Amino acid sequence: MPRLLVILFSVLFAFSAQAASLINDTETERLLTELVAPLGRAADISDGRLKVHIINSDDFNAFVMGGEDVYLYTGLLTQIRSASALQAVVAHELGHTLGGHMAHMSARMEAELKRAMLIQALGVGLMVAGGNPSLGAGVLAGSGGVAQQSMLAFTRDEERIADDMGFNLLVQAKLDPAGFVSVLEQMGEMTSVLESKVNPNRINHPLTAERLNTINEKVKKLDKSYVAKNAPTAQQNKEFALVQAKLIGYLDGADRVRALYPDTDKSDAALYARAIARMQAGNLQDARTGVMTLIARNPKNPYFYELLGDIDYQMGHYDDSVDAYEKSLDLQGNAPQIETALALVLTERNKPGDKERAVELCKRSLLTQPAPLTYWVLARAYQDGRADWARAEYYHLIGDKKNTKKYARLAQKKLDKNMPEYIKAGDLIK
């Protein structure tokens, strides 16, 4: 089995982005985008502008940046109990955005810093005026604590407002408010022991029990005619279970997969998680058997063919892998990660016409989603100076300035000055 390229397959699923590890996966991103779309419309965000990003972290967490970029942690995605509960989390985070909380937080922090400095100045003044250093020492020591307490109270209020606005947004989007109750109940189970031991004035969130009581009251006050007509469909719930299984299969250990999806579980989600975990462990034949069962049950699911392509590639069955990826693309359409995976196998198989097809696939993938691995595969597919340009782009995306300039200069030495890649290489040298 070609070990280097097997390792690179993991890059298709996850890549490093600055300090965080972001996951790219067509199946996961498309479903999550569908699930948050009603919230985006309710928040007057144009269709297609609310983007989902997945952070590889065990934290049960999420946040929104810039009003249109939703970041979801894998710890949240793999542990949350339903798609409706996930929508409630996103609604809460959008509540922060709608409330302008990030801007308010920045202004408040600046105000509290000034306040702390004034108190410190008062403390120093007392020391000087009284001629006794101990006279102002208590005031000086307490200045930071006053600012901290004020900020904690401020953030607790912001969380209450975000819950309120998030709940209203959820209702406006005609989603299931029970999802909000569900996620707070789950958080309560996770934090109740800790919260029972802390001073509620010393934390930056209201106690979960308080938040749950508030949301339950809001649910009771809903008009009895309310219908959650945009709540996740049965198909979306099934797809969410598959996405959770996929993430667990790739990111968690075999022990957790066995615990959550024992062999007695014959559901599609269980077969999916076990097949992925077995592929990860090198048990390729059993993994393939599981995937073939999934395909027999679901012949139009493009992502099962994608997984079959992964497994066949690792088994060295390049023709079968190409067929599986082609079938996946036929069913799915535009899918950058699958296009890159197919291009990678084609460069490895290297039959007549394979590298030309790989170039075509990489270019199509890059139009949708520029990614380091796609440029790396493109460099393998090209036979001239454009390969050096593609390597330069690869190093540019991973932040390696030295190699970016090295390969950009090599590209310019080999390419005609009128070629687009020559010009792009020049942009990388600047």
Side-chain angles (χ1 to χ4, degrees), residues 172-184:
Q172 188 178 343
K174 300 297 181 185
L175 296 173
D176 188 358
F180 222 129
V181 175
S182 173
V183 72
L184 286 174

Side-chain angles (χ1 to χ4, degrees), residues 239-256:
E239 291 172 2
F240 187 67
L242 289 172
V243 161
Q244 286 188 311
K246 185 176 195 174
L247 291 171
I248 291 167
Y250 272 109
L251 301 176
D252 291 357
D255 289 344
R256 183 160 191 247

Side-chain angles (χ1 to χ4, degrees), residues 123-171:
V124 173
L126 284 172
M127 289 181 191
V128 174
N132 182 356
S134 64
L135 187 62
V139 177
L140 184 62
S143 61
V146 171
Q148 182 185 51
Q149 287 301 306
S150 180
M151 282 302 301
L152 288 172
F154 175 71
T155 56
R156 287 194 298 272
D157 287 342
E158 297 284 68
E159 291 300 326
R160 294 185 181 100
I161 293 169
D163 277 350
D164 184 64
M165 298 189 77
F167 184 88
N168 293 340
L169 187 65
L170 202 74
V171 171

Side-chain angles (χ1 to χ4, degrees), residues 15 39 89 103 138 154 174 211 273 300 309 327 336:
F15 69 92
L39 292 166
V89 171
F154 175 71
K174 300 297 181 185
R211 298 172 68 189
K300 293 187 178 180
K327 180 67 174 178

Side-chain angles (χ1 to χ4, degrees), residues 302 305-306 308-309 318-333 338-339 341-343 345-346 349 353-354 357-358 360-361 364:
Y305 289 99
E306 177 190 12
L308 179 61
Y318 297 146
D319 291 344
D320 291 336
S321 179
V322 167
D323 290 344
Y325 283 131
E326 292 283 15
K327 180 67 174 178
S328 178
L329 287 175
D330 285 343
L331 291 168
Q332 177 58 60
I338 302 173
E339 289 163 351
L342 174 55
V345 179
L346 289 169
R349 186 177 71 170
D354 278 356
R357 170 76 169 138
E360 173 197 339
L361 287 163
R364 196 162 74 191

Side-chain angles (χ1 to χ4, degrees), residues 64-92:
V64 174
M65 287 187 66
E68 297 177 349
D69 289 289
V70 180
Y71 290 82
L72 304 173
Y73 289 66
T74 54
L76 173 73
L77 293 173
T78 57
Q79 295 177 66
I80 202 161
R81 290 170 180 163
S82 69
S84 291
L86 180 67
Q87 288 172 324
V89 171
V90 176
H92 169 90

